[in-house]
Amino acid sequence: SAVISQKPSRDICQRGTSLTIQCQVDSQVTMMFWYRQQPGQSLTLIATANQGSEATYESGFVIDKFPISRPNLTFSTLTVSNMSPEDSSIYLCSGRTGVGAETQYFGPGTRLLVL
Amino acid sequence: GDSVTQMEGPVTLSEEAFLTINCTYTATGYPSLFWYVQYPGEGLQLLLKATKADDKGSNKGFEATYRKETTSFHLEKGSVQVSDSAVYFCALSLQGGSEKLVFGKGTKLTVNP
């Protein structure tokens, strides 16, 4: 198993600013993911964070808006850039310890409100 | 594309009531199906899973059966407790490849004593 923590747990930001969310896993994971959960919506995959290389983004998400780093096997960051009120969401970090979705664990999420 | 449709919430029940949360899916292949639970202030946790048709996943008194003919994976529990109050997410993952998870919108359950 894996325990995933995120910082900050919540934040209120002004439009036009950027926020970096940190994700720390207590053990090495093979894959790390970032999701967004907008109010009343399902979890949507933003990107897969790749160690030592550029993240793989899903359709509708771009690196300029959501730059991601993954310097090692236990840590990743997601930056939400040039924020607007539409970016108000819960952002979740996730990691897999093995092969298959059943090995995937989730962090508690970062609740972001953009004014 | 692949998708999951869940029963709209919120759902409010009294303790010891029977619970059903409906989930149906659309997938191009043969998905694995999951139920996740999110307790207040915590991350999503895998509750149960089923990987092929007619499989029944079970955990903590919850059950769900993979029904290929109706493309459904309904979550049931015979007698809920206050501690079951949480948000429940149905999800699918296509086997092979990256096996990305596709989630439903979640159903919030509140159980009153």
Side-chain angles (χ1 to χ4, degrees):
Chain A
S1 67
V3 177
I4 300 179
S5 58
Q6 289 183 231
K7 289 182 183 179
S9 59
R10 59 178 64 226
D11 208 341
I12 301 173
C13 301
Q14 298 298 317
R15 69 171 67 211
T17 63
S18 298
L19 176 72
T20 296
I21 302 168
Q22 298 180 4
C23 175
Q24 180 72 55
V25 190
D26 69 342
S27 59
Q28 292 183 355
V29 291
T30 56
M31 302 177 76
M32 293 184 76
F33 307 91
W34 286 97
Y35 291 84
R36 181 175 72 182
Q37 184 180 14
Q38 294 178 302
Q41 302 299 314
S42 63
L43 280 75
T44 302
L45 181 63
I46 297 172
T48 302
N50 301 309
Q51 186 203 0
S53 64
E54 193 171 287
T56 304
Y57 290 84
E58 298 298 306
S59 176
F61 297 96
V62 296
I63 187 171
D64 290 346
K65 177 66 176 178
F66 297 102
I68 288 170
S69 77
R70 187 182 174 192
N72 57 49
L73 291 174
T74 63
F75 185 79
S76 178
T77 66
L78 167 75
T79 299
V80 186
S81 303
N82 188 25
M83 288 184 285
S84 67
E86 293 70 37
D87 295 319
S88 298
S89 288
I90 298 173
Y91 292 87
L92 294 105
C93 175
S94 179
R96 285 191 187 173
T97 58
V99 176
E102 61 267 30
T103 70
Q104 191 162 338
Y105 297 86
F106 289 81
T110 294
R111 189 178 296 269
L112 172 62
L113 176 64
V114 183
L115 302 177
Chain B
D2 305 321
S3 66
V4 175
T5 302
Q6 260 183 261
M7 180 172 124
E8 293 282 335
V11 174
T12 302
L13 296 173
S14 298
E15 206 165 23
E16 299 184 1
F18 183 85
L19 169 71
T20 299
I21 301 178
N22 291 338
C23 172
T24 57
Y25 67 89
T26 302
T28 52
Y30 298 95
S32 294
L33 301 174
F34 306 85
W35 276 101
Y36 285 83
V37 58
Q38 186 175 32
Y39 298 105
E42 300 182 16
L44 273 75
Q45 301 173 25
L46 179 62
L47 179 61
L48 54 84
K49 68 178 176 78
T51 57
K52 62 183 188 295
D54 299 326
D55 268 2
K56 177 185 284 188
S58 61
N59 186 22
K60 298 181 180 180
F62 291 90
E63 293 183 340
T65 301
Y66 190 143
R67 300 288 188 198
K68 185 179 177 183
E69 63 275 14
T70 54
T71 62
S72 65
F73 193 56
H74 304 321
L75 182 68
E76 296 181 337
K77 186 174 185 181
S79 176
V80 294
Q81 305 300 311
V82 172
S83 57
D84 293 325
S85 297
V87 181
Y88 293 82
F89 292 88
C90 185
L92 67 82
S93 171
L94 285 176
Q95 298 175 35
S98 64
E99 297 193 36
K100 296 174 188 175
L101 282 164
V102 176
F103 288 90
K105 291 185 179 182
T107 303
K108 183 176 182 180
L109 170 66
T110 300
V111 181
N112 295 318

